[in-house]
Amino acid sequence: MKKVLYTDFVKTESLIEELLGKKEIKKAITRNNLYKFWGKAAGEKFAGKSKPYSMLGGGVMVIACENAIVAQELTLRKTQILVKLEPYLKSLKLNVKDLKFDPKKWQE
């Protein structure tokens, strides 16, 4: 039986550095950071009944909603939510121009 030598180890730091250097990973981390602020922008009442789902082209953020009633309520509050998100968007250097509320995307 041939003896296997494990001498070509790659350091964890170099793997992390390589991953963080990729454009897709940076974008995902930035979006994830924005999603963490959703509860503050939506308010306590809607934080548990809605959550960011994805981003579409043109700066549209899709929000999954528990039901159509929540989607309608949030649609009526869209302007206020965008104003509350503004400081977070500036600090993360993101451009969100619109919010789309979709009850079909909701998952427990």
Side-chain angles (χ1 to χ4, degrees), residues 1 5 7 15 19-22 28 32 35-36 40 44 49 53 62 67-68 70-72 86 91 94-95 97 108:
M1 189 150 141
L5 299 176
T7 58
L15 286 175
L19 283 173
L20 291 177
K22 293 189 177 191
N32 189 45
Y35 294 169
K36 288 178 185 177
K40 291 181 180 183
E44 286 183 39
K49 298 178 182 192
Y53 183 79
V62 178
N67 55 46
V70 172
Q72 181 63 32
E86 182 109 17
S91 68
L94 285 174
N95 186 20
K97 295 179 182 177
E108 289 293 330

Side-chain angles (χ1 to χ4, degrees), residues 12 18 21 26-27 35 43 48 55-56 61 75 79 95 100:
T12 308
E18 182 181 332
K26 283 182 181 179
K27 187 185 272 188
Y35 294 169
M55 294 288 283
L56 300 176
M61 187 162 81
T75 300
T79 305
N95 186 20
K100 178 182 175 191

Side-chain angles (χ1 to χ4, degrees), residues 84-107:
K84 288 180 182 179
L85 277 176
E86 182 109 17
Y88 305 115
L89 294 169
K90 284 183 179 180
S91 68
L92 294 169
K93 297 177 183 160
L94 285 174
N95 186 20
V96 174
K97 295 179 182 177
D98 196 14
L99 301 171
K100 178 182 175 191
F101 303 100
D102 192 347
K104 295 176 187 172
K105 307 283 189 201
W106 184 256
Q107 297 173 357

Side-chain angles (χ1 to χ4, degrees), residues 1-49:
M1 189 150 141
K2 188 175 180 182
K3 190 173 183 180
V4 178
L5 299 176
Y6 296 99
T7 58
D8 293 340
F9 288 115
V10 178
K11 290 186 177 185
T12 308
E13 294 87 10
S14 64
L15 286 175
I16 292 171
E17 186 179 324
E18 182 181 332
L19 283 173
L20 291 177
K22 293 189 177 191
K23 182 180 171 185
E24 297 84 17
I25 300 292
K26 283 182 181 179
K27 187 185 272 188
I29 290 170
T30 304
R31 286 182 180 174
N32 189 45
N33 286 336
L34 173 62
Y35 294 169
K36 288 178 185 177
F37 297 116
W38 174 250
K40 291 181 180 183
E44 286 183 39
K45 182 177 178 181
F46 296 104
K49 298 178 182 192

